[in-house]
Amino acid sequence: MRQTRGMHERAGLAATPEDLIDVAAVIAAYHGARPDLSNPAQRVAFGTSGHRGTSLNASFTEAHIAAISLAIAEYRAGQGFTGPLFIGADSHPLSAPALATAVEVLLAAGVEVRASAGDALVPTPALSHAILSYNEAIPAVADRAAAGPSADGLADGIVVTPSHNPPQDGGFKYNPPHGGPADTDATDWIAARANELLEQGADIARAVGAEPARHDFMGPYVAALGEIVNVEAIREAGVRIGAHPLGGAAVEYWAEIARVHELDLTVLGPGIDPTWSFMTLDWDGKIRMDPSSPHAMAGALAEREHYDLLVANDADADRFGVITRGAGLQQPNHVLAVAIDYLLAHRAGAGSAEGSAWKNAAIGKTLVSSAIIDRVVAGHGRELLEVPVGFKWFVPGLHEGSVAFGGEESAGASFLRTDGRPWSTDKDGIIMCLLAAEITAVTGESIDERYQALTREHGTPVYRRVDAAATPDEKARLKKLTAADITAGEFAGEAITAVLTEAPGNGAAIGGLKVMTKNAWFAARPSGTEDVYKVYAESFLGEQHLEQVLAEAQALVARALA
């Protein structure tokens, strides 16, 4: 649960005409605005999910996308990736023109581009699945790391999406041959080269009018779902599913899933609306396609009485939302814990080849995800891989099979096929929704009932995130804190058991710190876009103790930064 600063008075209420964007103005600004490179906000910058911005403030323009596309073409050439580049886009208004720009630049640079027929929408997981499927079929590639000049013939990809961001936003993300989000070694190079091209005012060649090769992203993805989810059990149990794509790229996918696998599944919502006029407003009064937000999901919640299970995705379908009839919208941490418990009980040995990853691979979580996951994983006698925030940290393990499941508290996860092979090394909200249906079908219990059973065994945590004000200097210092900067031996009435500035799973810097006790923890990280730092906290001792944890966490950080 997120506690927000200044909850908007209309949070959870239907959008009005005044809340909607002018689509024509947004697209006109994409083509007409020129970035001012002296303004850091208008330079190319890759966060954990690529370059994002809006044409309305010249942070996402045609100039940006042309420069990034050429930089990606140069990067992949330098890495020896000579296979096709798969590209797809979601339903944000800026995604279609950005897709067109990218295709023209990539084709002019000699890249073999594969896009969907008629530029049909492509969910992030379907593009990751396409990359992995192509590369798996290359002789000798399946057994070697997909990196370096020796990787001749390998495919990679681009997803044009700002994920769940508001309608006026655009996003552009590069996925190398491992199929998942690029690491900083790639994105730093691409961003630096793109900014260099912008600074030079380079005349970037465009293959205007040229057509890319066409690829069916949906067919193979939908047909293969039985390899990762027990769709037969869902069908035989007759689970009634309402699937709400929230006007995103999964609209046609859910309809095709229902048809191909003969599920009792109804696709909800009006389809594609570039203004998202059907949405209810999020906590801050903005239209945001966040399937884990009770405010953004208010409209979908009203439909839950008609179904055994109601599920939802964001615009590119890399996030999940799960609604049960009795308990409503489930917190992502709860769904992750239930999913992990179920998979560890039902995948190892169930149709898996001897030595399958499901028998011995680690379970991954970000360090701001609930500690009940730690207890669930330990209860199954399995290894926990705790990493910094960002799905990219799970990609190598999912790709090679050393990580069976990777999940983060912001409603993103992916996991291996039943036989231990990778499915999508990017977040896949569709399979998480179908897994919720499988769990309902096989156990006869709802997700909230399964979670309550876990709390009876492992304790009941309460979880919250808050934002605290911080100057740019304070944010910079927070990133550089070490365990030695925390001198207290006790926190919220308990002895401190660990102070982390590096993730225990891979030793990577967390860009802040995490303090742990026997029954509670908090983590503090600076925001990349606002003058705040984020405090994530959890307690197994109840709401009152959580309030103490949050108060003492902010005081502890303030002392460390003084």
Side-chain angles (χ1 to χ4, degrees):
M1 180 183 295
R2 178 178 178 181
Q3 176 176 304
T4 57
R5 297 165 288 115
M7 183 74 68
H8 196 276
E9 60 183 7
R10 292 177 50 233
L13 299 182
T16 65
E18 292 72 27
D19 299 313
L20 308 182
I21 64 168
D22 181 337
V23 174
V26 170
I27 294 177
Y30 170 81
H31 293 293
R34 295 292 302 178
D36 175 5
L37 300 180
S38 67
N39 182 350
Q42 295 183 20
R43 295 178 67 84
V44 173
F46 276 71
T48 56
S49 296
H51 174 76
R52 291 186 184 179
T54 175
S55 60
L56 299 179
N57 66 9
S59 58
F60 191 95
T61 68
E62 189 170 17
H64 287 108
I65 301 310
I68 297 171
S69 300
L70 181 55
I72 288 174
E74 293 176 354
Y75 174 81
R76 69 192 306 272
Q79 296 295 309
F81 303 148
T82 59
L85 183 143
F86 293 94
I87 189 167
D90 76 357
S91 53
H92 279 77
L94 284 173
S95 294
L99 174 69
T101 300
V103 168
E104 289 179 354
V105 171
L106 291 165
L107 289 175
V111 177
E112 179 191 345
V113 179
R114 298 192 181 184
S116 59
D119 291 331
L121 303 180
V122 180
T124 287
L127 186 131
S128 177
H129 185 269
I131 295 171
L132 293 175
S133 298
Y134 182 92
N135 290 339
E136 185 180 45
I138 298 176
V141 167
D143 299 321
R144 76 182 188 208
S150 63
D152 183 39
L154 292 179
D156 52 3
I158 292 172
V159 190
V160 188
T161 174
S163 188
H164 63 299
N165 277 28
Q168 67 269 22
D169 286 4
F172 205 77
K173 185 174 72 171
Y174 175 62
N175 287 30
H178 56 47
D183 205 345
T184 52
D185 59 346
T187 57
D188 286 353
W189 191 96
I190 292 167
R193 177 57 177 150
N195 283 319
E196 182 180 47
L197 290 167
L198 289 170
E199 288 164 351
Q200 294 172 348
D203 185 12
I204 296 175
R206 310 260 293 255
V208 178
E211 281 290 316
R214 297 300 175 178
H215 180 79
D216 178 11
F217 289 92
M218 183 168 66
Y221 176 91
V222 172
L225 281 169
E227 299 175 7
I228 191 164
V229 176
N230 190 346
V231 290
E232 182 178 349
I234 300 171
R235 180 173 59 252
E236 291 182 351
V239 179
R240 287 176 297 162
I241 305 168
H244 204 315
L246 297 183
V251 169
E252 292 186 5
Y253 281 66
W254 279 115
E256 186 70 356
I257 288 167
R259 186 190 69 81
V260 170
H261 297 288
E262 301 178 318
L263 302 182
D264 186 353
L265 188 156
T266 302
V267 182
L268 305 177
I272 306 302
D273 172 359
T275 67
W276 274 276
S277 61
F278 61 89
M279 288 292 293
T280 50
L281 303 183
D282 205 1
W283 66 271
D284 56 357
K286 295 181 179 180
I287 294 175
R288 186 178 287 111
M289 293 65 73
D290 184 354
S292 67
S293 166
H295 311 293
M297 289 288 285
L301 277 161
E303 301 277 350
R304 75 177 191 261
E305 294 299 327
H306 305 298
Y307 304 97
D308 298 318
L309 179 72
L310 198 153
V311 296
N313 301 117
D314 61 341
D316 70 321
D318 71 343
R319 296 186 182 216
F320 62 84
V322 174
I323 296 173
T324 65
R325 183 185 297 153
L329 183 65
Q330 300 298 292
Q331 292 187 32
N333 276 317
H334 297 187
V335 180
L336 293 176
V338 169
I340 290 166
D341 179 67
Y342 175 85
L343 287 168
L344 290 177
H346 289 79
R347 287 299 189 266
S352 303
E354 189 64 34
S356 162
W358 278 110
K359 291 183 171 66
N360 46 40
I363 302 298
K365 59 162 267 193
T366 52
L367 56 83
V368 298
S369 300
S370 175
I372 197 171
I373 294 171
D374 307 43
R375 299 183 181 191
V376 167
V377 173
H380 283 275
R382 300 296 289 271
E383 176 190 355
L384 180 75
L385 180 76
E386 189 172 12
V387 301
V389 173
F391 200 80
K392 66 181 181 180
W393 301 109
F394 301 126
V395 172
L398 286 169
H399 187 245
E400 66 187 19
S402 62
V403 172
F405 182 101
E408 52 187 12
E409 54 80 34
S410 57
S414 189
F415 51 96
L416 301 179
R417 303 181 208 219
T418 303
D419 65 5
R421 290 184 298 132
W423 167 264
S424 168
T425 48
D426 214 323
K427 295 177 288 189
D428 191 333
I430 295 174
I431 62 169
M432 284 297 294
C433 292
L434 287 170
L435 179 63
E438 177 188 335
I439 293 170
T440 303
V442 172
T443 67
E445 296 179 301
S446 63
I447 297 299
D448 58 284
E449 289 171 336
R450 297 289 296 175
Y451 181 74
Q452 292 306 316
L454 290 180
T455 63
R456 290 192 291 272
E457 181 179 357
H458 300 292
T460 305
V462 283
Y463 179 101
R464 196 176 309 152
R465 178 190 135 187
V466 302
D467 295 343
T471 66
D473 178 64
E474 288 172 330
K475 292 199 305 178
R477 283 187 285 144
L478 177 56
K479 276 188 173 184
K480 297 177 182 178
L481 286 181
T482 67
D485 294 313
I486 306 302
T487 57
E490 186 178 280
F491 174 75
E494 294 188 311
I496 292 176
T497 57
V499 177
L500 306 176
T501 55
E502 296 179 347
N506 59 3
I510 65 179
L513 80 160
K514 182 176 182 179
V515 176
M516 305 173 66
T517 69
K518 179 182 178 182
N519 291 297
W521 62 268
F522 85 85
R525 300 176 56 250
S527 168
T529 57
E530 299 178 274
D531 286 337
V532 300
Y533 68 88
K534 304 172 185 179
V535 181
Y536 306 80
E538 185 173 54
S539 171
F540 282 81
L541 300 179
E543 284 285 352
Q544 187 173 350
H545 189 248
L546 178 63
E547 293 293 343
Q548 183 181 358
V549 170
L550 285 165
E552 293 194 20
Q554 293 177 65
L556 187 151
V557 172
R559 288 196 300 271
L561 295 178

